[in-house]
mmCIF file of all heavy atoms in Angstrom:
data_model
loop_
_atom_site.group_PDB
_atom_site.id
_atom_site.type_symbol
_atom_site.label_atom_id
_atom_site.label_comp_id
_atom_site.label_asym_id
_atom_site.label_seq_id
_atom_site.Cartn_x
_atom_site.Cartn_y
_atom_site.Cartn_z
ATOM 1 N N HIS B 7 56.702 37.280 -35.950
ATOM 2 C CA HIS B 7 58.052 37.820 -35.739
ATOM 3 C C HIS B 7 58.217 39.203 -36.365
ATOM 4 O O HIS B 7 59.092 39.959 -35.958
ATOM 5 C CB HIS B 7 59.090 36.846 -36.294
ATOM 6 C CG HIS B 7 59.127 35.564 -35.510
ATOM 7 N ND1 HIS B 7 60.039 34.569 -35.719
ATOM 8 C CD2 HIS B 7 58.352 35.127 -34.484
ATOM 9 C CE1 HIS B 7 59.828 33.582 -34.872
ATOM 10 N NE2 HIS B 7 58.796 33.892 -34.122
ATOM 11 N N SER B 8 57.371 39.524 -37.351
ATOM 12 C CA SER B 8 57.515 40.837 -37.993
ATOM 13 C C SER B 8 57.173 41.969 -37.015
ATOM 14 O O SER B 8 57.666 43.079 -37.165
ATOM 15 C CB SER B 8 56.664 40.924 -39.262
ATOM 16 O OG SER B 8 55.320 40.741 -38.933
ATOM 17 N N HIS B 9 56.351 41.684 -35.995
ATOM 18 C CA HIS B 9 56.061 42.716 -34.979
ATOM 19 C C HIS B 9 57.347 43.082 -34.248
ATOM 20 O O HIS B 9 57.647 44.259 -34.047
ATOM 21 C CB HIS B 9 55.042 42.199 -33.963
ATOM 22 C CG HIS B 9 53.671 42.044 -34.520
ATOM 23 N ND1 HIS B 9 52.722 43.021 -34.448
ATOM 24 C CD2 HIS B 9 53.082 41.021 -35.183
ATOM 25 C CE1 HIS B 9 51.607 42.612 -35.026
ATOM 26 N NE2 HIS B 9 51.807 41.395 -35.485
ATOM 27 N N LEU B 10 58.103 42.054 -33.864
ATOM 28 C CA LEU B 10 59.348 42.317 -33.121
ATOM 29 C C LEU B 10 60.331 43.083 -34.003
ATOM 30 O O LEU B 10 60.939 44.061 -33.560
ATOM 31 C CB LEU B 10 59.961 40.992 -32.661
ATOM 32 C CG LEU B 10 61.279 41.097 -31.889
ATOM 33 C CD1 LEU B 10 61.118 41.941 -30.632
ATOM 34 C CD2 LEU B 10 61.803 39.716 -31.504
ATOM 35 N N ARG B 11 60.439 42.643 -35.272
ATOM 36 C CA ARG B 11 61.372 43.341 -36.188
ATOM 37 C C ARG B 11 60.962 44.803 -36.341
ATOM 38 O O ARG B 11 61.800 45.702 -36.328
ATOM 39 C CB ARG B 11 61.400 42.643 -37.546
ATOM 40 C CG ARG B 11 62.313 41.426 -37.580
ATOM 41 C CD ARG B 11 62.635 41.044 -39.009
ATOM 42 N NE ARG B 11 61.434 40.679 -39.755
ATOM 43 C CZ ARG B 11 60.904 39.462 -39.749
ATOM 44 N NH1 ARG B 11 61.471 38.501 -39.055
ATOM 45 N NH2 ARG B 11 59.822 39.184 -40.435
ATOM 46 N N ALA B 12 59.661 45.045 -36.505
ATOM 47 C CA ALA B 12 59.175 46.424 -36.695
ATOM 48 C C ALA B 12 59.569 47.287 -35.493
ATOM 49 O O ALA B 12 60.044 48.416 -35.663
ATOM 50 C CB ALA B 12 57.657 46.424 -36.865
ATOM 51 N N TRP B 13 59.420 46.749 -34.285
ATOM 52 C CA TRP B 13 59.719 47.556 -33.095
ATOM 53 C C TRP B 13 61.207 47.693 -32.852
ATOM 54 O O TRP B 13 61.640 48.667 -32.238
ATOM 55 C CB TRP B 13 58.969 47.017 -31.872
ATOM 56 C CG TRP B 13 57.549 47.481 -31.937
ATOM 57 C CD1 TRP B 13 56.471 46.770 -32.374
ATOM 58 C CD2 TRP B 13 57.064 48.790 -31.648
ATOM 59 N NE1 TRP B 13 55.338 47.555 -32.365
ATOM 60 C CE2 TRP B 13 55.674 48.791 -31.917
ATOM 61 C CE3 TRP B 13 57.649 49.963 -31.184
ATOM 62 C CZ2 TRP B 13 54.875 49.923 -31.742
ATOM 63 C CZ3 TRP B 13 56.858 51.087 -31.005
ATOM 64 C CH2 TRP B 13 55.489 51.060 -31.279
ATOM 65 N N CYS B 14 61.995 46.715 -33.307
ATOM 66 C CA CYS B 14 63.456 46.857 -33.177
ATOM 67 C C CYS B 14 63.933 48.072 -33.988
ATOM 68 O O CYS B 14 64.923 48.707 -33.650
ATOM 69 C CB CYS B 14 64.167 45.594 -33.681
ATOM 70 S SG CYS B 14 64.064 44.255 -32.504
ATOM 71 N N VAL B 15 63.236 48.368 -35.086
ATOM 72 C CA VAL B 15 63.600 49.527 -35.914
ATOM 73 C C VAL B 15 62.930 50.794 -35.373
ATOM 74 O O VAL B 15 63.565 51.835 -35.202
ATOM 75 C CB VAL B 15 63.166 49.284 -37.386
ATOM 76 C CG1 VAL B 15 63.416 50.518 -38.238
ATOM 77 C CG2 VAL B 15 63.902 48.074 -37.954
ATOM 78 N N LEU B 16 61.627 50.654 -35.082
ATOM 79 C CA LEU B 16 60.823 51.837 -34.725
ATOM 80 C C LEU B 16 61.262 52.457 -33.385
ATOM 81 O O LEU B 16 61.335 53.691 -33.269
ATOM 82 C CB LEU B 16 59.350 51.412 -34.649
ATOM 83 C CG LEU B 16 58.293 52.469 -34.883
ATOM 84 C CD1 LEU B 16 58.535 53.207 -36.174
ATOM 85 C CD2 LEU B 16 56.904 51.838 -34.901
ATOM 86 N N ALA B 17 61.543 51.618 -32.391
ATOM 87 C CA ALA B 17 61.846 52.148 -31.045
ATOM 88 C C ALA B 17 63.059 53.078 -31.067
ATOM 89 O O ALA B 17 62.950 54.235 -30.642
ATOM 90 C CB ALA B 17 62.020 50.999 -30.054
ATOM 91 N N PRO B 18 64.231 52.636 -31.574
ATOM 92 C CA PRO B 18 65.363 53.565 -31.573
ATOM 93 C C PRO B 18 65.142 54.756 -32.498
ATOM 94 O O PRO B 18 65.532 55.878 -32.175
ATOM 95 C CB PRO B 18 66.548 52.708 -32.044
ATOM 96 C CG PRO B 18 65.969 51.487 -32.630
ATOM 97 C CD PRO B 18 64.619 51.298 -32.050
#
Side-chain angles (χ1 to χ4, degrees):
Chain B
H7 293 186
S8 60
H9 290 267
L10 179 59
R11 278 198 298 275
W13 281 99
C14 284
V15 175
L16 205 52

